[in-house]
Amino acid sequence: MKLMDLISPLLHKDIINSDQIEQVQIKSLTSDSRKVQRGSLFACVPGHTVDGHDYALDAVKNGAVALIAERRLQIDTPQIIVPSIQKALPIIADKFYSHPTRSLKLIGITGTNGKTTTTYLVEKIFKDYGKKTGVIGTIEMRIGEEKYPVANTTPEPISLQENFHMMVEKEVEVAVIEVSSHALELHRVAGCDFDIAVFTNFTQDHLDFHSSLDEYKQAKAKLFSRLGNAYGDYEQKYTVLNADDPEYSYFAAAAIMQGFTYGIKNDADIKAYNIVNRPEGAKFTVDTPLGSTDISLKMSGEFSVYNALAAIAISLLQGVPLTLIKDSLEAVPGVPGRFEKVDVGQDFTIIVDYAHTADSLENVLKTIKGFSAKRIITVFGCGGDRDKSKRPLMGNVSKKYSDISIITSDNPRTEDVKSIIDNIMVAFKDAPDASYIRIDDRTSAIEHAVNIAEKDDVILIAGKGHETYQIIGTQKYDYDDRLKAIEAVRKKDR
Ligand SMILES: CC(=O)N[C@H]1[C@@H](OP(=O)(O)OP(=O)(O)OC[C@H]2O[C@@H](n3ccc(=O)[nH]c3=O)[C@H](O)[C@@H]2O)O[C@H](CO)[C@@H](O)[C@@H]1O[C@H](C)C(=O)N[C@@H](C)C(=O)N[C@H](CCC(=O)O)C(=O)O
Ligand SMILES: Nc1ncnc2c1ncn2[C@@H]1O[C@H](COP(=O)(O)OP(=O)(O)OP(=O)(O)O)[C@@H](O)[C@H]1O
């Protein structure tokens, strides 16, 4: 593509070395100098660790034929200077990849918890409805049955648009993506043409990145105000909102498009009642503007009912019949690392769950408490270099619902495990000695839980869920809670 065509949508730009620019053809886009190829446009992104402008010369040496930057560089190459790279990049990435999201039915899901689970439910429903699906989220990217690794829940704009382009080439019709607050704040999804924007819930998280809860909320709400700028037929753009969330009104005010609300407590278009929570899954009846039905999930917990309601709302808005939605939801076996049972024949229950916020931990523990009369043993930690204020909050939740809390490490990153655990331990200062223990090493913590477990006890191993690594320092080491639990049970049995 001609550079001049590529940058044509940018309103504010200065062109440096313009005498050379008319002929420049762009063969690829990248913001990583190590990935530059001959004919690349290199985008200089000021990062959190380093400044991409410092790599512009490397990029040119590697074959970049033009630069897009926030300041003029002393390099004899065509340069496009824009006020904000973060805002410009999604726009040119969208153009470079021929506006792929305009050809997709694009569903964006935001909220503190429930995004990944809801994408799985929606994917299943649309597959059963005969549509080819694409999914981008925390666990991976999926196109039909193919899986691809992802670095971020919501990838940076170039990868994101490249992924959408690949989806279009592979004839995907419905794409469902998790939209993180980071992505919204950093404008990663600015080039996306969403058809449905979904809000699951809002609780505390990510205060390492957002300076306050208010800013975190404002970032999330951008998904809904953005819908108003969408390309195409406005009447076909919808919002789906959780009417029970305390922040519902805030998101409703940001959401200028019509759509469905869902809930259990407050008035809602899609409303569940008669909820029965069982270890084998939650059962409920749902009323919708298009009829009522009973649904028997294979996933437990009131929070699973909420995720199912969001998926019902999305699917009904796209014309999927309620009978098909019911059958699909009932067939979903679960989501990796979300309330996932580890069963190798032991006489107690082990559940691995991705809960890593106070709210999600509380939901999971409440669910377990609801159907277990025996002891609850919770193994958990908190991530290093991330929101510190949630540490005592998670400690309090574990103390409240668990008979025994085992406090351990969970991706300590560059922080000292002991000091992370100290922050959590604040919650236990008045707790009885027998109700908690700190064990820095996660494997030993899981082994301890398994060793003390008695018949019908429930062990919850929280925080890592589907993750297959532990991040210590800046290194990722192989680590899987599910495998560690299996090894611990086998060791106990020997
Ligand atoms: C805070 C944040 O968002 N960081 C993201 C950011 O990294 P960074 O700002 O540190 O980048 P940097 O290393 O300073 O590099 C700046 C620029 O210089 C370039 N560079 C760098 C070195 C070099 O030799 N040459 C070169 O060109 C880099 O390619 C980059 O363009 O840009 C990277 C590349 O796109 C991202 O992978 C990285 O996400 C990291 C992994 C991360 O942890 N992000 C989290 C905070 C995040 O975004 N999380 C949300 C969801 C969380 C949730 O819901 O739980 C997500 O959407 O994933
Ligand atoms: N609707 C919900 N409300 C509250 N908690 C939930 C909900 N759905 C799932 N959870 C809890 O949150 C954890 C994470 O769920 P899920 O991965 O679906 O959310 P997410 O929004 O994708 O999270 P993340 O942004 O951290 O990847 C689950 O393991 C479960 O403990």
Side-chain angles (χ1 to χ4, degrees):
M1 178 181 284
K2 274 187 160 180
L3 177 60
M4 287 309 279
D5 289 341
L6 183 59
I7 60 170
S8 61
L10 300 178
L11 204 56
H12 303 287
K13 54 184 182 270
D14 281 334
I15 300 173
I16 313 289
N17 297 331
S18 52
D19 47 323
Q20 308 167 29
I21 211 151
E22 287 295 339
Q23 285 65 271
V24 176
Q25 290 281 343
I26 301 300
K27 295 197 181 128
S28 63
L29 285 187
T30 181
S31 57
D32 189 335
S33 59
R34 295 156 293 193
K35 294 187 182 148
V36 163
Q37 295 163 354
R38 185 146 304 281
S40 291
L41 169 66
F42 176 69
C44 306
V45 175
H48 291 82
T49 322
V50 294
D51 184 349
H53 292 80
D54 297 338
Y55 297 90
L57 194 57
D58 286 354
V60 171
K61 283 182 189 154
N62 291 343
V65 288
L67 304 169
I68 178 160
E70 287 183 0
R71 59 174 188 271
R72 185 182 182 146
L73 297 157
Q74 295 310 315
I75 302 173
D76 183 25
T77 304
Q79 296 171 31
I80 317 303
I81 310 301
V82 291
S84 161
I85 279 284
Q86 276 168 357
K87 288 184 183 166
L89 205 48
I91 307 301
I92 59 169
D94 173 52
K95 176 138 178 114
F96 184 76
Y97 289 106
S98 312
H99 312 293
T101 56
R102 292 184 191 174
S103 317
L104 296 165
K105 203 44 95 183
L106 182 63
I107 301 158
I109 304 180
T110 199
T112 310
N113 294 303
K115 299 184 294 296
T116 304
T117 309
T118 307
T119 60
Y120 270 79
L121 302 180
V122 173
E123 179 189 33
K124 169 73 177 145
I125 294 168
F126 280 100
K127 272 186 177 171
D128 292 349
Y129 191 46
K131 302 283 181 195
K132 181 147 184 189
T133 54
V135 179
I136 299 176
T138 310
I139 298 185
E140 63 207 359
M141 169 166 85
R142 293 188 293 283
I143 299 184
E145 302 308 315
E146 296 162 21
K147 296 178 176 179
Y148 306 82
V150 287
N152 287 94
T153 296
T154 314
E156 50 78 33
I158 301 176
S159 311
L160 186 64
Q161 295 300 335
E162 189 183 8
N163 292 342
F164 286 136
H165 177 72
M166 187 151 81
M167 287 187 188
V168 172
E169 299 235 295
K170 291 180 181 271
E171 295 176 345
V172 165
E173 296 159 277
V174 178
V176 198
I177 75 163
E178 293 181 47
V179 186
S180 65
S181 57
H182 302 74
L184 287 158
E185 190 60 41
L186 298 170
H187 309 279
R188 289 182 201 156
V189 292
C192 298
D193 177 29
F194 288 101
D195 295 283
I196 303 186
V198 184
F199 166 62
T200 60
N201 47 57
F202 181 80
T203 54
Q204 180 178 326
D205 202 6
H206 303 310
L207 289 184
D208 53 304
F209 182 83
H210 303 285
S211 58
S212 65
L213 267 183
D214 241 21
E215 270 197 17
Y216 174 39
K217 192 167 70 179
Q218 281 165 23
K220 289 223 166 284
K222 284 183 189 166
L223 181 64
F224 300 90
S225 37
R226 173 148 304 132
L227 207 57
N229 302 330
Y231 168 88
D233 185 351
Y234 291 93
E235 288 179 9
Q236 301 295 314
K237 311 278 176 192
Y238 301 105
T239 55
V240 168
L241 303 175
N242 177 354
D244 290 348
D245 193 87
E247 295 297 343
Y248 163 72
S249 306
Y250 180 87
F251 283 86
I256 44 182
M257 299 297 171
Q258 56 176 338
F260 280 152
T261 55
Y262 65 91
I264 294 173
K265 302 178 185 101
N266 297 335
D267 270 354
D269 301 310
I270 315 283
K271 183 151 177 165
Y273 54 99
N274 290 342
I275 298 171
V276 183
N277 216 346
R278 309 159 305 164
E280 62 273 26
K283 265 172 55 170
F284 61 99
T285 305
V286 62
D287 273 352
T288 82
L290 293 149
S292 302
T293 189
D294 293 330
I295 296 185
S296 226
L297 299 175
K298 291 195 173 75
M299 289 169 286
S300 304
E302 196 176 74
F303 61 89
S304 301
V305 177
Y306 275 106
N307 297 334
L309 293 179
I312 294 169
I314 296 164
S315 314
L316 286 178
L317 284 169
Q318 288 305 311
V320 184
L322 189 57
T323 47
L324 185 145
I325 296 173
K326 167 188 161 70
D327 291 347
S328 301
L329 288 176
E330 292 189 340
V332 176
V335 175
R338 273 74 184 161
F339 218 85
E340 185 174 340
K341 297 204 181 83
V342 174
D343 187 353
V344 278
Q346 77 277 6
D347 61 2
F348 49 91
T349 303
I350 303 177
I351 296 166
V352 169
D353 190 89
Y354 192 45
H356 54 272
T357 62
D359 178 62
S360 54
L361 190 60
E362 180 158 29
N363 284 323
V364 173
L365 283 168
K366 256 192 204 163
T367 302
I368 297 172
K369 199 111 190 140
F371 50 64
S372 167
K374 293 292 184 150
R375 294 186 312 168
I376 300 177
I377 303 167
T378 303
V379 180
F380 77 104
C382 290
D385 303 333
R386 295 286 184 271
D387 189 351
K388 286 189 180 158
S389 59
K390 71 179 176 182
R391 293 175 188 170
L393 304 181
M394 287 180 70
N396 271 321
V397 169
S398 182
K399 182 176 76 172
K400 180 170 170 193
Y401 293 95
S402 317
D403 297 278
I404 301 172
S405 296
I406 304 177
I407 303 99
T408 188
S409 57
D410 181 349
N411 293 336
R413 300 191 179 83
T414 63
E415 275 193 71
D416 175 28
V417 177
K418 290 193 192 317
S419 66
I420 299 174
I421 295 181
D422 285 346
N423 296 154
I424 303 172
M425 292 308 298
V426 171
F428 290 89
K429 59 178 187 301
D430 304 323
D433 282 354
S435 70
Y436 66 91
I437 178 168
R438 51 185 292 170
I439 303 178
D440 296 0
D441 174 58
R442 195 168 175 99
T443 306
S444 310
I446 292 173
E447 282 177 3
H448 183 72
V450 166
N451 288 338
I452 61 172
E454 294 166 5
K455 188 167 182 309
D456 297 331
D457 282 348
V458 180
I459 298 176
L460 171 67
I461 307 174
K464 297 185 81 63
H466 64 283
E467 286 177 3
T468 50
Y469 54 81
Q470 171 87 306
I471 309 174
I472 303 173
T474 51
Q475 292 288 313
K476 268 190 180 180
Y477 297 89
D478 285 349
Y479 195 94
D480 188 322
D481 278 347
R482 297 158 294 191
L483 299 180
K484 294 294 178 190
I486 293 170
E487 279 167 24
V489 173
R490 298 217 165 110
K491 212 163 154 185
K492 183 179 183 180
D493 289 346
R494 279 204 289 270

